[in-house]
């Protein structure tokens, strides 16, 4: 890369142009859902309901409001016409309403509004596209009817549309802020441009992989935005580390040349400085990209397609970023390295200024002077921030994450208020091997037994409605929707508060029935999603911890440092989660963050996303810091001096990197979509806490207390680490022209090795 930089850049530019042209013609089909677990009992029941009954969660719901009773002749004629026209549209499998079924639950309490429910063909992405196409045609004024829309597919379509607009607005706001932050962090336009170029190559490399995956699995529409943000964020982190080290190597070579009385070579030895930079900081980037990818890999094991698609996008962009940094950035440093400070307003001051941070040196000295006091105070502060996480409640995303004035949100809220149909509380009991006609007595007896329970308000079957152990209504034309050959299903409504619905689901699953039965409905889906995540999270956490421990051991050769990194990262994450519960579940600080809907729950998938991404960034900063501390320690410094010098020399890099990540995601806090607001706030808080309290106070205090034990490992593991050849090869700088030719040749051989 260093000897043929123009060829490297030409090849990279050609590859980038090909990928860019391919992306211009790509039409990937992204999904707006994926927040429910797959493979659960509720998911199996939903599949049977969709296949045999064409039933399930309504894809598209039209609310038709009339100024006169819905049963009047004029309104009925217009309603039937609307129902028929909707059923004839491409992509619509089945349409039913009060006008063609007589189902009383589709008629409002005041008798002037009717629901028209449509089942759409295809997966989540296809139904969302169909809903977005159909709604403009069938909403508005249709004769005596004023029609508005909601439903899961339309909620998904509007969520994707609004999220896209919010993300675009956040990017338009964040790009100028990020540009200013880059200039401040790198000090010159040339230096700031280098990570932007590598980030562009990383995103161009990851996008085709994400688009290809969209053809084989549900990929969330947010995956591309996450890939873009993560790609540029990681590229900036790596760029800061390499550019900072490159400047130090140039300054060292220049000082050595000046001391030797040379006028050429010295400070402009860009090839040698690049080789030494990649030998030290480049090794850190290699491990870092692999570690961040490993931190995202466990998300692939989550049963939520939303998390799986984010993991694929994140892994792809991080690995592409590591490759771009290792292959493209060295060539850029060789070609533009001598102008690294060109255009900087205070370039001479920058060259004269020490590479160390006096502020972080003072902080590290204070933390290592009284390590027990500093560490205890920091742990208490983080533990206090984590306390709200003790009463966390999880839920599944629905229309409430959207702005209240959005059509799908407003209409869904109105349906819950004005209709007796409990969309979010109805529990469906599927009897896939019970024929309601041939086994009428058994089905009736089962419905009566269920309706006698104190936690059940009513049971609706294809044979009638039951409450308190007796039949309260006979079958209606809509009852035919619950009966098919060899199978039937019952709709059970609980009598208690919404919090008791989960217990009702467990009870219905445990009670005997006329035959095999499956339980689904919104409460069952939420319960199964929580249970699926709770079942897989311990394994995922153990796998993640084990992989990170192994990678950090290979990087440091120590057993204690990897354990310390995992424990401190977990403490930092708990503090961030506690803040999220305090803000988004309990509803505090709404005036500071802007108005948003408080549902009393956290979306189940978001803590997993935040943990994996923020944990990866935390380990990233750990690698930056440990690489420099280990380098100082192996150069002969004692433990405290190595820690203080390492923090002083990486403090600016880590602070600038965390600030840039925060600047990149903070515009999401202005979003009106709760998930985006939560993601932006959570990631920004997590990286800032980790870069300041953890890296600046906890790490030096811990390492000061541990002393020489920081680098301890059992003899067999030490021999294995040396045999693998992954230890840091520290080579002190060799001043050009100030050493004999034989020593120069030895140094060159070491560098090549």
């Amino acid at each position: 890369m260093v000897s043929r930089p123009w060829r490297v850049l030409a090849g990279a530019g050609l590859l980038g142009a090909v990928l860019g042209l391919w992306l211009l013609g790509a039409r990937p089909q992204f999904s707006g859902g994926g927040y429910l677990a797959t493979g659960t009992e509720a998911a199996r029941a939903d599949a049977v309901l969709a296949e045999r009954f064409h039933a399930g969660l309504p894809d598209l719901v039209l609310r038709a409001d009339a100024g006169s009773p819905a049963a009047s002749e004029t309104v009925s004629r217009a309603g039937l016409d609307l129902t028929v026209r909707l059923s004839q549209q491409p992509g619509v499998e089945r349409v039913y309403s009060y006008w063609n079924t007589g189902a009383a639950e589709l008629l409002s309490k005041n008798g002037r509004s009717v629901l028209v429910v449509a089942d759409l063909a295809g997966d989540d992405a296809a139904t969302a596209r169909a809903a977005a196409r159909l709604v403009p045609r069938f909403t508005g004024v249709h004769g005596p009817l004023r029609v508005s829309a909601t439903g899961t597919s339309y909620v998904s379509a509007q969520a994707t549309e609004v999220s896209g607009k919010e993300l675009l607005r956040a990017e338009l706001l964040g790009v100028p802020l990020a540009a200013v932050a880059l200039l401040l962090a790198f000090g010159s336009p040339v230096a700031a441009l280098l990570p932007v170029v590598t980030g562009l190559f990383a995103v161009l490399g990851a996008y085709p992989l994400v688009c290809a995956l969209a053809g084989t699995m549900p990929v969330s529409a947010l995956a591309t935005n996450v890939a873009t943000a993560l790609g540029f964020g990681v590229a900036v982190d790596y760029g800061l580390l390499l550019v900072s080290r490159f400047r130090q190597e140039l300054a060292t070579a220049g000082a050595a040349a000046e001391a030797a009385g040379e006028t050429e070579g010295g400070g402009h030895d860009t090839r040698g400085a690049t080789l030494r930079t990649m030998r030290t900081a480049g090794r850190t980037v290699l491990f870092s990209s692999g570690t961040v990818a490993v931190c995202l890999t466990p998300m692939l094991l989550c049963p939520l397609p939303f998390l799986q698609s984010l993991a694929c996008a994140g892994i792809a962009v991080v690995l592409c970023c590591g490759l771009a940094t290792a292959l493209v950035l060295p060539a850029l440093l060789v070609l533009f390295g001598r102008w690294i400070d060109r255009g900087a307003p205070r370039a001479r001051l920058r060259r004269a200024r020490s590479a160390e941070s006096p502020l972080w040196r003072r902080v590290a000295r204070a933390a290592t002077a009284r390590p027990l006091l500093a560490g205890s105070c920091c742990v208490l502060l983080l533990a206090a921030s984590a306390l709200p996480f003790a009463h966390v409640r999880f839920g599944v995303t629905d229309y409430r994450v959207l702005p209240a004035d959005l059509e799908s949100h407003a209409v869904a809220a109105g349906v819950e208020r004005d209709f007796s149909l409990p969309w979010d509380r109805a529990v469906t009991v599927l009897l896939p091997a019970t024929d309601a006609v041939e086994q009428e007595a058994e089905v009736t007896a089962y419905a009566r037994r269920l309706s006698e329970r104190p936690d059940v308000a009513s049971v609706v079957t294809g044979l009638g409605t039951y409450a308190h152990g007796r039949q309260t209504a006979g079958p209606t034309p809509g009852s035919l929707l619950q009966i098919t050959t060899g199978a039937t299903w019952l709709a059970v409504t609980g009598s208690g508060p919404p919090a008791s619905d989960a217990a009702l689901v467990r009870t219905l699953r445990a009670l005997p029935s006329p035959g095999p039965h499956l339980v689904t409905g919104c409460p069952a889906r939420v319960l199964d999603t929580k249970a699926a995540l709770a079942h897989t999270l311990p394994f995922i956490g153990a796998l993640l911890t084990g992989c990170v421990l192994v990678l950090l051991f290979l990087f440091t050769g120590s057993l204690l440092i990897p354990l310390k990194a995992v424990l401190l990262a977990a403490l930092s994450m708990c503090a961030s989660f506690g803040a999220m519960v305090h803000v988004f579940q309990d509803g505090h600080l709404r005036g500071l963050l802007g108005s948003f809907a408080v549902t009393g729950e956290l979306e189940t998938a978001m803590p997993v996303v935040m943990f994996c991404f923020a944990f990866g960034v935390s380990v990233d900063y750990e690698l930056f810091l440990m690489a420099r501390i280990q380098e100082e320690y192996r150069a002969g410094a004692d433990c405290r001096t190595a820690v203080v010098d390492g923090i002083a020399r990486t403090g600016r890099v880590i602070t600038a990197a965390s600030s840039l990540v925060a600047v990149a995601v903070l515009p999401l806090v202005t979003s009106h979509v709760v998930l985006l607001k939560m993601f932006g706030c959570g990631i920004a808080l997590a990286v800032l806490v980790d870069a300041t309290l953890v890296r600046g106070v906890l790490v030096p205090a811990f390492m000061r207390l541990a002393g020489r034990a920081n680098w301890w490992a059992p003899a067999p593991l030490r021999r294995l680490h040396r045999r693998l050849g992954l230890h840091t090869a520290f080579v002190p700088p060799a001043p050009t022209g100030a050493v004999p030719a034989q020593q120069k040749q030895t140094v060159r051989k070491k560098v090549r090795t």
Side-chain angles (χ1 to χ4, degrees), residues 344-369:
R346 292 182 289 179
R348 292 185 179 181
L349 177 61
R350 172 178 292 278
R351 284 192 292 265
R353 185 177 62 179
S354 170
E356 298 180 357
S357 168
L359 173 62
W360 283 111
R361 178 173 286 277
R362 287 194 294 270
V363 171
R365 281 178 176 172
T368 54

Side-chain angles (χ1 to χ4, degrees), residues 441-725:
E442 297 178 22
V443 173
T444 300
Y446 178 60
R448 290 183 185 275
R449 288 199 307 272
L450 293 182
S451 66
E452 290 174 351
R453 296 188 54 83
D455 53 353
V456 174
S458 66
V459 179
V460 180
T461 72
L463 306 173
T465 301
Y466 300 85
H468 306 294
R470 60 180 183 272
Q471 186 172 3
T472 59
T476 65
S479 301
L480 295 175
L481 300 175
Q482 296 181 246
I483 298 175
T484 191
T485 303
T488 187
W489 59 271
L490 296 74
V492 181
T493 304
S495 60
S500 65
D501 289 343
L504 177 61
V505 171
R506 297 188 186 96
T507 300
L508 293 175
R509 286 175 172 172
L511 289 174
S513 61
H517 69 283
L518 299 171
V519 179
T520 183
C522 285
R525 296 182 192 97
V526 174
L527 180 65
D528 286 355
T529 297
K530 292 180 181 179
L533 278 176
H535 179 72
T536 57
L537 282 181
F539 174 72
I540 290 172
L543 178 63
L544 174 62
T545 301
C547 292
V548 170
L549 289 176
V550 171
L551 285 173
L552 288 179
F553 167 74
L554 294 176
F555 185 77
T556 62
S558 164
L559 283 186
L560 192 60
I561 288 177
L563 290 172
K564 178 262 302 177
V566 170
L567 290 176
L568 296 188
L571 180 61
S572 176
M573 292 302 100
C574 288
S576 301
F577 290 159
M580 293 301 99
V581 171
H582 184 71
V583 174
F584 293 98
Q585 177 180 300
D586 300 340
H588 300 290
L589 302 178
R590 295 180 68 187
L592 180 62
L593 297 178
S595 177
F596 57 90
V598 178
T599 62
E601 300 173 334
L602 288 186
E603 209 290 320
T604 306
M606 288 311 296
V608 181
V609 175
M610 288 173 52
F611 177 81
C612 291
F613 277 87
F615 190 82
V617 173
S618 174
V619 175
D620 206 19
Y621 296 159
E622 177 78 8
L623 290 171
F624 290 1
L625 180 56
M626 286 302 109
R628 201 57 191 257
I629 292 176
Q630 188 177 36
E631 190 174 323
E632 299 294 333
Y633 184 75
R634 290 185 174 177
D638 61 85
C639 179
R640 184 186 179 188
T641 303
V643 170
V644 172
D645 289 347
I647 291 176
R649 295 182 179 182
T650 59
R652 283 199 187 116
V653 173
I654 295 177
T655 304
S658 62
S659 300
L660 285 167
V661 171
V663 166
V665 299
L666 270 179
L668 294 177
V669 176
T670 64
S671 172
H672 297 93
V673 180
V674 178
L675 293 182
L676 295 180
K677 187 185 290 287
M678 188 186 305
F679 182 80
C681 182
I683 295 297
L685 181 63
V687 298
L688 291 177
V689 167
D690 189 84
T692 53
L693 289 178
V694 175
R695 302 299 140 212
V697 180
L698 271 180
V699 169
F702 181 93
M703 296 190 72
R704 177 74 172 87
L705 290 172
R708 294 179 61 87
N710 284 305
W711 314 107
W712 177 85
L717 291 180
R718 288 200 305 271
R719 289 193 295 268
L720 174 64
H721 188 260
R722 285 196 297 268
R723 188 174 304 163
L724 292 174

Side-chain angles (χ1 to χ4, degrees), residues 11-323:
L14 180 61
L15 178 61
V18 171
L19 293 175
L21 291 174
W22 183 86
L23 285 174
L24 290 176
R27 294 292 182 269
Q29 305 297 335
F30 294 118
S31 170
Y35 298 98
L36 295 173
T38 57
T40 63
E41 178 178 334
R44 295 195 302 272
D46 288 337
V48 175
L49 285 170
E51 179 182 356
R52 302 182 66 179
F53 295 90
H54 301 284
L57 277 176
D59 294 317
L60 179 62
V61 178
L62 301 181
R63 174 174 177 164
D65 298 309
S68 55
S72 64
E73 182 179 354
T74 304
V75 176
S76 295
R77 190 182 304 113
L80 282 172
D81 178 67
L82 178 71
T83 303
V84 171
R85 285 192 294 113
L86 180 60
S87 65
Q88 294 173 347
Q89 296 297 311
V92 177
E93 289 187 339
R94 185 186 181 114
V95 178
Y96 50 95
S97 67
Y98 171 76
W99 293 301
N100 70 344
T101 65
E105 62 269 18
L106 300 179
L107 181 66
S108 67
K109 298 173 183 177
N110 64 7
R112 295 175 180 268
S113 299
V114 170
L115 298 182
V116 181
V117 181
D119 292 327
L120 306 178
D123 55 13
D124 290 343
T127 57
R129 291 193 303 272
R133 185 186 73 249
L134 293 170
V135 166
R137 302 180 186 176
F138 288 90
T139 54
V141 178
H142 293 262
L145 302 175
R146 181 175 294 275
V147 184
S148 52
T150 186
T152 56
S153 295
Y154 189 48
V155 168
S156 176
Q158 286 212 306
T160 302
E161 179 185 1
V162 173
S163 298
K165 292 180 179 178
E166 296 281 0
L167 288 167
L168 178 60
R169 184 173 61 84
E171 289 172 1
L172 292 177
L173 179 62
V175 166
L177 294 176
V180 173
L182 280 171
L183 286 175
L184 292 176
F186 285 88
S188 72
V190 175
L193 189 62
L194 298 183
V196 174
V197 174
T198 56
L200 179 62
F201 278 112
V203 173
L204 283 176
Y207 263 41
L209 298 177
V210 175
C211 293
L213 283 174
T216 60
M217 62 178 287
V219 175
S220 172
L222 297 177
T224 56
N225 302 98
V226 169
T228 302
L230 184 63
F232 279 102
V234 173
V236 167
D237 284 357
Y238 296 164
L240 271 170
L241 180 65
L242 294 182
V243 169
S244 175
R245 188 56 184 258
F246 179 76
R247 279 173 167 152
Q248 294 176 27
E249 296 296 341
L250 278 183
T252 301
E258 184 178 351
E262 292 188 355
T263 58
E264 298 180 357
H268 300 298
D269 184 16
T270 56
R271 291 178 183 270
T274 302
L275 285 172
R276 293 183 59 79
T277 297
M278 298 307 297
R279 182 178 177 83
T280 51
R283 171 181 176 271
T284 304
V285 168
L286 171 68
F287 270 89
S288 176
S289 60
T291 304
V292 175
V294 165
C295 290
L296 297 177
T297 301
M299 288 172 60
L300 293 173
L301 304 178
C302 289
L304 274 65
F306 169 72
L307 294 179
Q308 295 172 356
S309 63
L310 289 188
C312 292
I315 292 170
V317 78
V318 166
L319 293 180
C320 289
C321 189
L323 286 175

